[in-house]
Amino acid sequence: MNSRAHHKFWPARVPHAISPPATALPDNLLVNARRFPQRPALVFLGQTTTYAELAAQVERLAAWLAGRGIKRGDRVLVGMQNCPQLVIAHYAILSANAVVVPVNPMNRAAELRHLIEDSGAVLAITSTDLSAEWLSAGMAAQDMLVTRLAEVLPGGRTDGAGLPAGWADWLNADIALPAGTTCWAEAMACTGAPPVMEVGADDLALLPYTSGTTGHPKGCMHKHSSLQHNIFAGCLWANGNHEDVILGVVPMFHITGMVVVMHGTLACGAALVLMPRWQREYAARLIAAHRVTRWTNIPTMVIDLLASPEVDSFDLSSMISIGGGGAAMPQAIAERLWQRYGLRYMEGYGLTETAAPSHSNPYDAPKQQCLGVPYLSCDARVVDPDTLRELPVGEAGEIIVRGPMVFDGYWRRPDATEAAFIEFDGRRFFRTGDIGFVDADGYFFMTDRLKRMINASGFKVWPAEVENLMHAHPGIAEACIISAPDAYRGETVKAVVVKRAGHESLTEEQLRDWCRANMAVYKVPALIEFVDTLPKSGAGKVMWRALQEREKAKA
């Protein structure tokens, strides 16, 4: 395979490779706070925070963290919806020389417990509506900093003007702080001296958790340098600048929302318009009101936006770029977006392990339903997953990547780290576990997955993790999770379940209610099938592939 075939489609004036900055992430914000002190950094529910104000808030929280004894290398969990407090928390933790452990706000106690224990975190920063779940997971109240999403607004509340129905009640909900926790206002009132930033490019910055073929999620170790590479590469690739206005609705606990949207925007000195939840008409209003220029999303958001009965009134004329990943954009939707608004949907590809993009479509030469070409500084190949022989154009195999965006390895899991990397062409490549091929132009396309993974609207669901959680139900003897086709989500979660003796009366509805209480909602099986037995191999292993193939055949 010619690994440089895509160079003829490479964007003009964009280098093929860059060196990551030698500085730590908080320097990006500090530089722009000096350059553009009065420019909007964050816009949230009508409230604007300037770069100078954001830097000052980060400094106060960093001082509070240092006063709490947070030191270099400590892990701090951050779990909440998109809001200014999440941004402040990330930069304050990093400014205090500590490590951010991002947490999905949809996680339930059993999922949180693993993150708390595995990361060895000393503190959790979350919101009042999620605090009970953290306490149930075993987080000590005195080790929690808790905020209300609306408390950064004038008067600490929203009047609901212009917001979707029900949002005001959700944002203003007066949930009592658990006894012993620290409230956000107290931390932000800290007048202590901020810590001296000691960390640099080679220090651990981020520990996002990703699941896999084995039950529990694993922490991915990212240094400041791997994140900085993709932050600065993203600005170059998109021709981003400080006049941009970015819509921030993809969740910022996720690697794409965090690196591309949050850190990328603030490194450029641009304005980030935050949405705490997705709602299509509100998104359209924000785009029009703030003249949003760029929007990174998942395809289901665009599908939903174009399905709105109000779509004819939407003003997207300020938009110059729209794209995302996590799932393929349906061809019909991409064409509608182009015909209606003159916008080409730019698809990309990446993993938690690659700090978001390892591939992206060139802006001037995109291909639809395509992962794109290897990103700045990235070398990607397609190999036979068994022999590791490089495959020719058009032949499907496992995608492997190397470059400065690739993580260091899995937290406290040297075995998993060793299995994730191979020696190829005398260099260390990461095995993505995704199956794809390269066309004659050097563009990558995905065809399948080597790893068991369900992609539901861009949310990655790992069957082994869901099975692990479901086996805690007293009425389940065995469970196997597979994917089922879904017209809207692309794929959805299906559970094939064997009931335990004495629990014959267990219903789908009862089991689904239990799942909702014990796991993030996107992992909850949309379909449940009760069976007498699961197919097993001679070694006694559940033959999930047989069930998966049967499901495909039915579809």
Side-chain angles (χ1 to χ4, degrees):
M1 184 193 94
N2 178 5
S3 61
R4 300 190 174 203
H6 64 281
H7 283 194
K8 62 185 172 185
F9 303 102
W10 196 260
R13 297 178 297 281
V14 174
H16 287 278
I18 61 168
S19 300
T23 51
L25 282 161
D27 281 301
N28 302 344
L29 174 60
L30 293 173
V31 165
N32 282 326
R34 292 197 302 272
R35 282 178 174 161
F36 311 115
Q38 299 312 313
R39 283 189 63 81
L42 307 175
V43 180
F44 180 66
L45 308 180
Q47 172 75 5
T48 296
T49 304
T50 67
Y51 269 90
E53 289 167 341
L54 179 58
Q57 291 165 0
V58 166
E59 186 175 276
R60 287 200 295 277
L61 185 57
W64 179 82
L65 290 169
R68 281 269 319 197
I70 300 296
K71 60 188 186 302
R72 188 171 186 165
D74 281 348
R75 278 80 60 206
V76 179
L77 298 143
V78 179
M80 61 184 92
Q81 304 283 4
N82 290 0
C83 61
Q85 298 95 309
L86 182 148
V87 179
I88 294 163
H90 272 251
Y91 280 88
I93 292 162
L94 297 169
S95 298
N97 306 297
V99 178
V100 174
V101 184
V103 180
N104 186 339
M106 290 188 276
N107 278 2
R108 308 309 295 260
E111 297 158 313
L112 295 173
R113 190 175 301 115
H114 171 68
L115 302 186
I116 294 166
E117 294 171 356
D118 191 73
S119 69
V122 295
L123 185 76
I125 303 178
T126 188
S127 52
T128 49
D129 54 319
L130 306 176
S131 56
E133 209 68 44
W134 282 92
L135 291 171
S136 299
M139 199 76 202
Q142 64 267 25
D143 294 328
M144 288 169 57
L145 172 60
V146 184
T147 183
R148 282 189 313 106
L149 296 194
E151 74 175 280
V152 294
L153 303 177
R157 298 177 68 80
T158 176
D159 61 7
L163 294 182
W167 276 32
D169 291 341
W170 163 53
L171 292 162
N172 292 331
D174 199 13
I175 302 167
L177 281 177
T181 60
T182 302
C183 70
W184 184 260
E186 180 185 332
M188 294 304 292
C190 180
T191 56
V196 175
M197 195 158 57
E198 302 165 344
V199 294
D202 292 331
D203 286 280
L204 186 63
L206 186 71
L207 199 62
Y209 274 74
T210 183
S211 297
T213 49
T214 53
H216 285 302
K218 302 182 291 291
C220 296
M221 296 186 288
H222 274 291
K223 293 178 178 177
H224 287 265
S225 60
S226 57
L227 303 174
Q228 288 280 56
H229 177 278
N230 272 5
I231 290 164
F232 280 82
C235 289
L236 286 167
W237 188 257
N239 197 24
N241 61 76
H242 62 271
E243 299 295 336
D244 274 324
V245 181
I246 313 296
L247 184 62
V249 63
V250 286
M252 295 192 310
F253 73 82
H254 186 270
I255 197 74
T256 300
M258 189 191 320
V259 174
V260 176
V261 180
M262 179 177 73
H263 289 312
T265 301
L266 298 178
C268 282
L272 179 57
V273 180
L274 293 167
M275 280 183 72
R277 285 180 178 170
W278 169 250
Q279 204 279 340
R280 62 193 182 187
E281 285 80 20
Y282 185 52
R285 285 201 295 275
L286 289 178
I287 290 170
H290 297 287
R291 307 302 293 162
V292 166
T293 57
R294 301 179 188 275
W295 176 26
T296 296
N297 52 51
I298 54 175
T300 47
M301 291 178 176
V302 180
I303 295 168
D304 193 37
L305 185 85
L306 295 181
S308 168
E310 298 176 27
V311 68
D312 288 334
S313 68
F314 292 166
D315 177 9
L316 307 188
S317 60
S318 60
M319 296 274 295
I320 59 172
S321 170
I322 183 170
M329 169 61 83
Q331 186 73 27
I333 302 298
E335 288 175 2
R336 203 174 307 158
L337 193 63
W338 170 248
Q339 289 161 5
R340 184 182 282 272
Y341 299 110
L343 291 168
R344 282 195 175 91
Y345 192 83
M346 317 301 296
E347 295 187 49
Y349 165 78
L351 301 166
T352 304
E353 289 90 341
T354 61
S358 62
H359 294 65
S360 187
N361 270 276
Y363 276 72
D364 296 326
K367 294 191 180 188
Q368 292 300 316
Q369 297 183 304
C370 171
L371 305 181
V373 300
Y375 208 46
L376 286 78
S377 316
C378 182
D379 184 3
R381 311 292 180 91
V382 173
V383 301
D384 183 302
D386 297 319
T387 67
L388 304 183
R389 175 181 63 88
E390 188 167 8
L391 298 173
V393 165
E395 194 168 329
E398 184 177 3
I399 299 169
I400 60 172
V401 299
R402 67 177 294 272
M405 72 292 295
V406 176
F407 76 139
D408 265 25
Y410 295 109
W411 176 252
R412 294 174 175 169
R413 291 289 305 274
D415 55 332
T417 300
E418 186 178 354
F421 288 90
I422 58 166
E423 194 81 10
F424 177 83
D425 263 3
R427 296 180 176 90
R428 187 175 185 245
F429 276 75
F430 170 63
R431 302 186 67 161
T432 67
D434 287 326
I435 302 297
F437 67 90
V438 184
D439 70 8
D441 294 328
Y443 285 67
F444 282 64
F445 292 79
M446 190 186 293
T447 56
D448 205 346
R449 284 185 288 272
L450 199 61
K451 297 181 285 192
R452 281 180 75 194
M453 188 262 282
I454 301 165
N455 190 342
S457 297
F459 283 106
K460 306 296 191 290
V461 180
W462 296 92
E465 183 190 359
V466 180
E467 289 164 1
N468 201 39
L469 292 165
M470 287 187 75
H471 279 113
H473 189 289
I476 292 179
E478 291 183 296
C480 181
I481 298 297
I482 57 174
S483 73
D486 183 272
Y488 176 63
R489 301 175 84 196
E491 293 179 299
T492 195
V493 183
K494 178 173 180 176
V496 184
V497 176
V498 178
K499 296 178 187 178
R500 192 179 295 279
H503 292 267
E504 287 79 11
S505 62
L506 179 65
T507 66
E508 284 185 40
E509 187 177 1
Q510 289 169 337
L511 182 51
R512 198 173 286 111
D513 287 345
W514 183 91
C515 287
R516 285 195 190 98
N518 286 276
M519 63 185 77
V521 68
Y522 65 89
K523 299 175 188 174
V524 173
L527 303 170
I528 296 172
E529 178 185 352
F530 292 114
V531 296
D532 294 332
T533 58
L534 294 177
K536 303 262 179 62
S537 69
K541 289 187 176 181
V542 173
M543 296 170 67
W544 65 269
R545 283 186 196 277
L547 291 171
Q548 187 66 75
E549 290 305 319
R550 187 192 71 174
E551 192 66 27
K552 279 185 183 175
K554 282 200 309 190

